[in-house]
Amino acid sequence: MSELLLEVSDLHVAYGQVEAVRGVSLAVPAGQIAAVIGPNGAGKTTLLGAIMGLLPSRGSVRFAGERIDGRDTEALVRMGISFVPERRELFADMTVLENLELGGFSRRRSG
């Protein structure tokens, strides 16, 4: 098997007392494409949000062999990791290409 690009182990995410993601583990080898599918409310967006550090979680997340859970979302974006949630009409007047190009920019703060 090739090197793992993304490895999630025993990930748990809760909203208060409600556990939305329970013990999810997955591995995505470098050069492969993976999809997270399921019905509405299954925890797909919650899982991806936790991987990106947008939601508190338990478990571990590794990217290219490096543990990334607990890092700032901005640091993950600088590493080349991104999350584009499905939201209607976020940049509706822009083409798909323009939206993708916009997502490719990384802001750097000076001072």
Side-chain angles (χ1 to χ4, degrees):
M1 183 165 80
S2 64
E3 178 184 331
L4 293 179
L5 183 61
L6 177 67
E7 184 177 14
V8 177
S9 299
D10 197 30
L11 194 72
H12 295 258
V13 184
Y15 295 103
Q17 297 296 318
V18 177
E19 194 170 33
V21 172
R22 184 179 315 133
V24 171
S25 296
L26 60 91
V28 181
Q32 298 294 311
I33 296 174
V36 178
I37 60 173
N40 291 343
K44 302 176 300 292
T45 301
T46 298
L47 170 65
L48 297 173
I51 290 170
M52 282 301 301
L54 299 170
L55 298 169
S57 63
R58 290 185 293 117
S60 69
V61 180
R62 292 182 177 277
F63 179 74
E66 188 175 334
R67 191 138 180 200
I68 62 168
D69 46 289
R71 292 195 185 185
D72 291 337
T73 302
E74 291 83 3
L76 300 181
V77 171
R78 283 191 296 274
M79 292 176 72
I81 306 168
S82 62
F83 171 51
V84 182
E86 179 188 7
R87 300 281 190 261
R88 302 284 187 238
E89 299 181 17
L90 187 59
F91 299 107
D93 294 335
M94 295 170 59
T95 66
V96 171
L97 178 59
E98 290 169 335
N99 272 274
L100 291 171
E101 289 173 339
L102 179 63
F105 288 102
S106 176
R107 285 184 42 191
R108 297 191 199 287
R109 295 185 180 140
S110 61

